[in-house]
Amino acid sequence: MNPNEQKLQYPWADFQPEAGHAHVVADGVKWIRMPLPFALDHINLWLLRDNIDGRDGWTIVDCGISRDEVKTLWEDVFKNELEGLPVLRVLVTHMHPDHIGLAYWLCERWNARLWMTMTDFMVASLWSSRRSQTGGGPGGQSAVEHFARHGLTDPDAQEQIRQRANYFPNLVPAVPAHYTRIMHGDQVRIGGRDWRVIVGYGHAPEHASLYSPDVNVVISGDMVLPRISTNVSVFDYEPDANPLPLYLRSLDGYDGLPDDTLVLPSHGRPFKGLHERIAQQHEHHRDRLAEVLEACAAAPQSTTDILPVLFKRKLDLHQLTFAMGEALAHLHALYFDGKLTRATGADGIVRFSAA
């Protein structure tokens, strides 16, 4: 446990639910854990006891990726944890594959409606249907050209990124044709309780967290995580984006929540210490921005040059694409704040210098 984690409280310590089973974390709230084939090897999903139009059942929050082994684990959950009741609704916090991947299957399996924000529904629908060399998400030829402009010229890395053109549709082969829109400030009635929607930006187009004062629980999705910092990236589909200030401002949306709120994150363990963790995130990014500015003051830096400044460990390809996006997000935050300038060299690579 790192020093920042030690400042948080973990009600269940190192416990994690057994595959195919759930663990009760609050009245009417169950915790499920599904595998992921990445360095970040799991996602937390949630079952909320519900009643819709007089029917008792469950709302599922987030879905896991579309893989047969994950479907099998879901079938075990249905058998072991639904108490003989149906799934009535599938609510997705945002459009990343580990969150929306199996929404189509769950909605069809239970004849349940998908609930999510409009922007993320539309982006997921577009990307899941796009099977081509341009692809959708951080892969394909467009991504190769984007990262090459920012200094990633290694041919092997470029070829691997090129081969990831269908990364998103492989993990999200379909998205339900219909959905119910949720927006910031909405009160979603789930099992006789109101869950307030808190929309955040920077990590996904329109990420939705849910807070219930009745049980003092916030389902934070990927916006607040206990061990790792939320990925905030600039990718090829929005090459001049400035997402880091959006993310940091979005954290203000949790300001009014009580200090002892139980945080249910998508990765890591449920914890208490929400405001401490948010303060840590602000400090983390202040420090990283200072390091990036110092490097750019010493000499012009491409995004690839900044990678070892921000990331001290060896990165696999999946991590590399997100690390490039995150490094560029920090450079853009300083550039759009007037602290850096940028110029494209004769080699076609963009480099940033102190203003």
Side-chain angles (χ1 to χ4, degrees):
M1 188 180 292
N2 64 46
N4 280 342
E5 283 187 283
Q6 291 174 1
K7 298 177 183 178
L8 308 177
Q9 299 136 36
Y10 295 91
W12 295 278
D14 293 328
F15 171 85
Q16 61 189 47
E18 184 183 341
H21 292 268
H23 181 73
V24 175
V25 293
D27 182 36
V29 181
K30 293 185 177 186
W31 170 23
I32 301 163
R33 187 175 162 109
M34 292 290 182
L36 294 174
F38 314 121
L40 185 59
D41 63 2
H42 71 279
I43 180 171
N44 299 321
L45 314 173
W46 315 99
L47 291 175
L48 307 181
R49 192 72 159 77
D50 207 352
N51 180 288
I52 299 178
D53 297 332
R55 294 178 66 212
D56 287 329
W58 299 89
T59 282
I60 291 173
V61 180
D62 287 336
C63 306
I65 59 171
S66 183
R67 289 288 186 270
D68 287 343
E69 58 270 27
V70 181
K71 292 179 183 179
T72 298
L73 289 172
W74 267 119
E75 292 291 354
D76 290 339
V77 169
F78 300 153
K79 179 177 64 178
N80 298 323
E81 301 295 345
L82 297 190
E83 301 167 22
L85 298 173
V87 173
L88 304 177
R89 161 171 45 198
V90 176
L91 195 153
V92 170
T93 59
H94 62 293
M95 47 71 64
H96 292 161
D98 49 336
H99 297 262
I100 198 173
L102 274 177
Y104 74 98
W105 177 78
L106 289 167
C107 289
E108 183 177 317
R109 170 76 169 71
W110 291 101
N111 191 28
R113 179 59 60 88
L114 172 67
W115 289 50
M116 64 185 302
T117 61
M118 176 183 281
T119 310
D120 280 48
F121 173 77
M122 293 301 182
V123 173
S125 299
L126 173 65
W127 286 7
S128 70
S129 63
R130 185 187 273 182
R131 291 183 176 272
S132 68
Q133 276 302 302
T134 54
Q141 182 60 31
S142 178
V144 170
E145 294 169 4
H146 171 68
F147 289 136
R149 281 194 299 274
H150 292 283
L152 188 63
T153 56
D154 177 69
D156 291 338
Q158 288 187 352
E159 182 56 27
Q160 289 181 70
I161 294 170
R162 188 176 290 111
Q163 294 303 316
R164 285 163 55 92
N166 291 321
Y167 165 79
F168 191 92
N170 284 342
L171 299 176
V172 190
V175 172
H178 307 285
Y179 83 115
T180 296
R181 184 182 186 182
I182 58 176
M183 300 174 66
H184 182 70
D186 282 355
Q187 300 286 346
V188 180
R189 193 75 172 168
I190 303 175
R193 298 180 177 127
D194 285 332
W195 291 76
R196 175 162 58 91
V197 178
I198 303 171
V199 164
Y201 303 95
H203 175 68
E206 194 181 0
H207 181 296
S209 300
L210 299 167
Y211 172 67
S212 170
D214 292 332
V215 285
N216 198 23
V217 165
V218 63
I219 298 175
S220 63
D222 280 350
M223 288 296 288
V224 184
L225 302 172
R227 184 177 179 85
I228 59 175
S229 61
T230 298
N231 180 259
V232 179
S233 284
V234 177
F235 290 123
D236 61 289
Y237 47 83
E238 193 181 356
D240 276 325
N242 188 19
L244 185 54
L246 290 177
Y247 170 72
L248 294 173
R249 287 196 298 269
S250 293
L251 295 177
D252 294 345
Y254 304 92
D255 279 354
L257 275 59
D259 288 337
D260 63 347
T261 298
L262 177 63
V263 183
L264 304 183
S266 291
H267 309 285
R269 297 168 289 157
F271 70 96
K272 293 185 178 182
L274 171 66
H275 300 298
E276 167 63 31
R277 185 57 183 147
I278 288 173
Q280 292 174 6
Q281 285 298 283
H282 281 290
E283 182 180 5
H284 168 80
H285 287 293
R286 278 196 302 270
D287 291 347
R288 300 296 81 72
L289 288 167
E291 290 172 350
V292 170
L293 184 58
E294 181 181 6
C296 293
Q301 302 287 315
S302 71
T303 301
T304 303
D305 294 331
I306 290 297
L307 287 180
V309 174
L310 295 181
F311 302 95
K312 311 305 182 186
R313 66 189 186 279
K314 182 176 175 60
L315 302 169
D316 62 28
L317 178 71
H318 182 75
Q319 294 168 323
L320 176 63
T321 58
F322 289 100
M324 284 288 294
E326 182 124 1
L328 185 53
H330 283 76
L331 288 162
H332 275 190
L334 293 165
Y335 169 75
F336 285 108
D337 197 32
K339 295 177 180 176
L340 295 180
T341 61
R342 67 183 180 187
T344 303
D347 55 2
I349 295 174
V350 178
R351 294 178 177 86
F352 295 80
S353 304

